[in-house]
Amino acid sequence: MFTGIIEEIGRMRRIVRQGQSMMLTIEASRTLEDVKLGDSIAVNGVCLTVVAFDAASFTVDVVPSTFRQTTLRRLSPGDPVNLERAMAANGRFGGHIVQGHVDTPGRIVLRQAEENAVVFRIEPEEASFMKYMIPHGSVALDGISLTVVHVAETSFTVSIIPHTLAETALQYKQAGDAVNIECDLLGKYIERLLSFRDSGAAKAAVPFGSGGMTLEFLSKHGFL
């Protein structure tokens, strides 16, 4: 699990492609301080496993499903990437729950300065994921924990403070560039539970008279 607070900007050193799989070697410093084989590191919001490392870089494998689902396939040597180690159990939870499981790539359709902020308008590649975008809700873009400002039919905006822009690879992104989108976990789980409750399997699994998960229950307890 991650928090969406980027620790450093890494640089792509080497990319080895074989069909729809890749091996990425990424230059880093802070991320390597206590690295071990098998550790999880989010690269542009994608949870990947360290398979090798040295004093200045680490290497991860990208499997075909991740290749197809994320923007990692578009990387080139020298590109900057956001890096975050998996959250320590005794660490501060500075962002929101980020799994490192990308829901859909998105495209920046607008980058515009607004006083001390920079506003980005994002259009998901798969429009169905707009249902998870809620004004003032959470979203992760390239692994960065951000707050949704405005929601339209096919796009949403986020407002980036100077510190976040300076500390992440988002500073290099322009209109037309792609980003990884991870929607807020809570909405996805609620949707899944509500869709499951009326299925035959759910009715068989829920004891008679238990009530189950209902819209009335969620509303009563402040979830809706």
Side-chain angles (χ1 to χ4, degrees), residues 17-130:
R17 288 184 170 88
Q18 186 172 2
Q20 291 191 341
S21 65
M22 297 192 300
M23 182 172 284
L24 309 178
T25 299
I26 302 164
E27 295 177 358
S29 55
R30 183 177 179 183
T31 308
L32 296 171
E33 288 176 357
D34 57 357
V35 70
K36 302 182 295 296
L37 289 178
D39 280 357
S40 294
I41 297 178
V43 179
N44 274 358
V46 184
C47 179
L48 299 172
T49 300
V50 176
V51 297
F53 66 91
D54 57 28
S57 66
F58 66 94
T59 299
V60 293
D61 284 317
V62 177
V63 298
S65 60
T66 303
F67 179 93
R68 292 188 295 268
Q69 187 69 18
T70 74
T71 65
L72 294 183
R73 65 185 183 272
R74 298 170 177 156
L75 290 173
S76 300
D79 283 350
V81 289
N82 293 321
L83 301 178
E84 182 190 356
R85 291 169 290 182
M87 180 184 177
N90 63 347
R92 289 184 179 274
F93 207 123
H96 73 280
I97 297 174
V98 177
Q99 292 184 298
H101 301 161
V102 173
D103 290 302
T104 180
R107 183 172 63 93
I108 300 171
V109 295
L110 174 72
R111 172 176 171 154
Q112 182 177 344
E114 184 180 23
E115 296 188 16
N116 67 334
V118 176
V119 175
F120 287 81
R121 180 171 292 279
I122 311 295
E123 188 174 85
E125 190 173 285
E126 295 185 37
S128 61
F129 287 100
M130 281 301 302

Side-chain angles (χ1 to χ4, degrees), residues 117-197:
V118 176
V119 175
F120 287 81
R121 180 171 292 279
I122 311 295
E123 188 174 85
E125 190 173 285
E126 295 185 37
S128 61
F129 287 100
M130 281 301 302
K131 62 188 172 184
Y132 302 116
M133 300 304 162
I134 301 170
H136 312 302
S138 297
V139 66
L141 298 182
D142 278 351
I144 309 166
S145 175
L146 298 169
T147 300
V148 176
V149 175
H150 178 263
V151 177
E153 185 176 353
T154 61
S155 65
F156 64 93
T157 63
V158 293
S159 185
I160 313 300
I161 65 172
H163 174 80
T164 300
L165 200 64
E167 295 295 319
T168 70
L170 197 57
Q171 64 185 280
Y172 304 108
K173 297 281 188 177
Q174 302 295 331
D177 288 339
V179 291
N180 289 316
I181 300 174
E182 182 181 332
C183 306
D184 191 24
L185 182 66
L186 181 60
K188 292 185 286 187
Y189 270 106
I190 290 175
E191 179 188 47
R192 175 59 178 160
L193 288 169
L194 289 176
S195 67
F196 182 74
R197 69 188 177 95

